[in-house]
Structures are given as structure tokens and as C-alpha cells.
Amino acid sequence: MLAIGFLILAIVPKFIAVVVLLSEDIFRIFKGVILFFSSESLTHFPERREAVSKIALGLAAIPFVSIIYGMTKGKYNYQILKHTLFFEDLPEAFDGFKLTHISDIHSGSFDNELKIKHGIDLINKQESDVILFTGDIVNNKAEEMNPWINDFKNLKAKYGKYSVLGNHDYGEYVKWKSNEEKEQNFQEIKNIHPKIGFNLLLNDSIYLEKENDKIALIGVENWGVRFKKAGDLDLASSKVKKEDFKILLSHDPSHWNTEVKNHKNNYQLTLSGHTHGMQFGIEIPGLKWSPIQYVYKQWAGIYKEFNSYINVNRGFGFLAFPGRVGIWPEITVITLKKK
């Protein structure tokens, strides 16, 4: 990851500078051709303007400083994002019910225990009724989570903690000596969830009950347009009724866009992650942009279509590039309200 980080640090600022200087060079060539045919001067090719060189250097400094910040501070710059969503069919007892949504822990990337403890403390300070985790607890191997089990065991929620798997939890991005070794790693990854107090939903569902009402919590295995399709929505929903209020945990937001939002069962709220917001982008009032938006239609935050919501969490951890620039690690707090 550090190699990738330093490579990006070396290339991106230079690319910005090259674009500016190349634009100036195209102008110089064009001007030089005109001078060649219209002037008797021996010097036809104009020198690069000093102001343009300074502009190129100044613009290149912006990503240079941003990347250094992202690699040192930004990757642990946890943001609490709060949303209130209104539903006509929300059971009365769950009016004001609060859930915390986290995703993409990627424990194999962690390198600062104090920052991780701080992030866990922030989750607990929200005092949500339930904590929901939408996959990628490791990068590849179960052993990556071993140093952090005691920390994540401290997460607390009155109505429990529930989780699903992400594409990285299947161990498909490393070479294994045998299929048995890969399967053993996969089983150990599944075993992590009860060790930290999470109920892992593998194409399964459970009811959360409050007073005389209940809502359905449904969890599918990973299903993505470009990634592993182990999720079975019909199987996961086989124990619930069409009229139930449903919260679906599905790691990849392309699942919602492809299958869920148009489904006859009407999944009122889907929680996803996976994209990380590419860990790079711009989010300021009036502007929300990341290169990942050209791959995923729903890539960060709340979206609504056909009376169905999805929240795409930007991720708790980080992967590949050891930092975050403009797209910060996220802890989402969603309050359900009766419309």
C-alpha cells in the first residue's frame, strides 16, 4: 500500500503540471509557426511564459499536499453522517428507531491502534439501537482481524449487531496452496463475526421486535455486477412477508440498482458499502464528485427510487491506496421516522 501511495504521490502532481505546460507548449508551437511565415527574425519559437510555469507548479502542489494529508491524517478522519428517513409503512413502535451503519473495515490495512479505538468510541457515542455492518471485514485473510478483535468487541447496541459478507471476505484475491486452505480461511472469516458480537446473516433474515411491532432485517451474501454473486435475495427473504418493513444488508450497491429497487417485495431501506467513494474526490456544498461515479450510479450517501432508499457508506477503513483525499471514512447514523 505504501508503494501505491508513493507512486500516486509521484505521478499525480506531475500529471497536473504536464497538462498545464503542454497546453502552453501547444500555444507556443502555434505561435512559432505564425512567426516563421510572417517574420524575418531568426528566432521563431517563443519561450515559455514564467507565469504559466508558476501556475503549473502551484496547481501541482495542491494534489501533492492533499495526498500527503490523506496518507497521514485523512484515512482516520472519521465523519459522523446523520440522516432522518420517513416511511409511511414504518411500524409505530419503531418511530425514532436509530441505527448505525458501518462498512468496509478492511482490518488488514490498519496501522494505528489509537485511531481505531477513537473510531469505535465514536460509533458507541451515537447510542444507536442497532449496529449494522455491510461487509469486507478483512482485505483477504482472517488473521488480519486478530489484533483488532478485542477492540471491535466493545461495540454496543441495545437491539444487537448484525453483519453480512463483502467481496473481500471470500479470499479470492490471493493465491492459496489448496482449495482446502481457502475454505478454511473463509470459515475463519465467518467465525470472526460472532467473536466480536455480530450476528452474521448469510442469505438469511431476522426480526427486530419492539413492543408489539417488528421489522425484518435481511442479509445477503455478496452480490455485485462485477464481483462475486453469492447472494440469493429470494432465499434471504423467504421467512419474511411482503407487507413487512424491511432493512436489507447487501455489500455492493449495484445489487440494489439491478435487483432490489424494482423487486416486488418492496425493500424500504438497503444498506451497502463497497465503493469507498474511491477514497478520492470532492465533497463540498454544491459539489459531490469522485471518479467512482462513472462506475457506480449509487456510490456515496442516500439515494431514493420507487419509494426505496439506499445508503452507500463510504467505508470505515481503506484499501490499496493507504489514505483518503476528500472522501473521508464514514460512520452513518440513520433515524427511522413514521411519515
Side-chain angles (χ1 to χ4, degrees):
M1 287 196 300
L2 284 174
I4 292 172
F6 285 124
L7 183 64
I8 292 173
L9 184 64
I11 291 176
V12 173
K14 290 179 182 177
F15 177 78
I16 299 297
V18 163
V19 169
V20 176
L21 295 176
L22 183 60
S23 301
E24 167 74 352
D25 289 341
I26 292 173
F27 171 78
R28 292 166 64 206
I29 292 172
F30 182 73
K31 187 175 181 179
V33 170
I34 294 176
L35 290 175
F36 179 81
F37 289 104
S38 62
S39 173
E40 296 180 358
S41 172
L42 296 177
T43 303
H44 303 295
F45 197 64
E47 294 184 356
R48 179 177 286 130
R49 289 171 291 181
E50 183 179 352
V52 174
S53 298
K54 290 181 178 179
I55 290 172
L57 184 62
L59 291 176
I62 296 173
F64 184 82
V65 173
S66 299
I67 292 168
I68 291 177
Y69 176 82
M71 292 173 62
T72 55
K73 302 289 185 180
K75 60 186 177 182
Y76 295 122
N77 183 25
Y78 298 110
Q79 303 293 303
I80 310 294
L81 300 185
K82 297 184 178 183
H83 306 281
T84 300
L85 303 181
F86 293 85
F87 302 90
E88 292 181 357
D89 52 352
L90 180 71
E92 292 285 352
F94 285 88
D95 185 30
F97 192 79
K98 188 164 67 172
L99 61 90
T100 289
H101 174 205
I102 57 174
S103 192
D104 298 271
I105 288 174
H106 286 291
S107 54
S109 302
F110 292 159
D111 56 10
N112 190 319
E113 185 175 4
L114 289 178
K115 295 294 185 181
I116 300 307
K117 288 181 181 293
H118 171 63
I120 291 171
D121 287 342
L122 285 176
I123 295 172
N124 282 332
K125 285 180 180 178
Q126 307 314 306
E127 297 182 338
S128 290
D129 295 296
V130 66
I131 296 175
L132 305 174
F133 169 61
T134 50
D136 278 1
I137 201 166
V138 296
N139 294 348
N140 294 295
K141 297 182 177 181
E143 64 191 37
E144 297 166 6
M145 188 63 183
N146 290 342
W148 313 103
I149 287 176
N150 288 334
D151 294 311
F152 281 90
K153 280 171 61 176
N154 293 326
L155 290 173
K156 297 176 176 64
K158 181 179 178 181
Y159 288 84
K161 303 178 289 185
Y162 299 88
S163 58
V164 293
L165 298 175
N167 57 300
H168 279 267
D169 296 321
Y170 293 86
E172 297 191 336
Y173 306 118
V174 292
K175 291 184 178 180
W176 301 97
K177 295 178 181 178
S178 65
N179 288 332
E180 289 76 17
E181 184 183 28
K182 179 182 178 182
E183 183 59 33
Q184 181 182 352
N185 178 72
F186 182 49
Q187 187 59 51
E188 290 175 356
I189 286 173
K190 290 188 286 187
N191 291 341
I192 290 170
H193 294 255
K195 287 181 181 178
I196 60 174
F198 277 77
N199 184 344
L200 179 62
L201 300 174
L202 299 169
N203 293 325
D204 202 357
S205 63
I206 193 170
Y207 281 106
L208 300 180
E209 299 183 5
K210 186 177 181 184
E211 299 173 9
N212 295 321
D213 291 327
K214 63 182 181 181
I215 61 176
L217 193 61
I218 303 164
V220 296
E221 291 195 50
N222 190 80
W223 193 103
V225 170
R226 299 169 180 83
F227 294 90
K228 188 178 184 69
K229 294 177 174 62
D232 188 330
L233 185 59
D234 291 331
L235 175 61
S237 307
S238 60
K239 301 176 186 177
V240 303
K241 300 175 182 178
K242 182 178 181 180
E243 60 269 22
D244 288 332
F245 186 91
K246 307 173 193 70
I247 299 176
L248 174 67
L249 308 185
S250 182
H251 177 71
D252 192 318
S254 66
H255 188 208
W256 183 81
N257 198 50
T258 305
E259 286 194 351
V260 177
K261 69 181 182 182
N262 297 311
H263 200 280
K264 61 182 180 180
N265 280 349
N266 184 28
Y267 296 88
Q268 288 88 341
L269 175 61
T270 299
L271 304 179
S272 298
H274 181 63
T275 71
H276 301 202
M278 204 173 174
Q279 297 169 209
F280 175 84
I282 301 171
E283 287 196 86
I284 57 177
L287 178 60
K288 177 181 174 182
W289 176 87
S290 169
I292 200 68
Q293 71 187 56
Y294 305 115
V295 181
Y296 289 91
K297 186 176 180 180
Q298 295 80 27
W299 60 275
I302 296 283
Y303 302 84
K304 181 184 181 183
E305 289 187 37
F306 309 116
N307 294 316
S308 177
Y309 286 94
I310 183 173
N311 179 63
V312 185
N313 186 284
R314 294 158 180 82
F316 185 86
F318 50 92
L319 180 70
F321 171 58
R324 284 179 175 266
V325 179
I327 306 291
W328 313 120
E330 174 182 346
I331 299 164
T332 315
V333 180
I334 298 175
T335 302
L336 308 179
K337 294 292 292 182
K338 182 77 173 178
K339 188 173 181 180

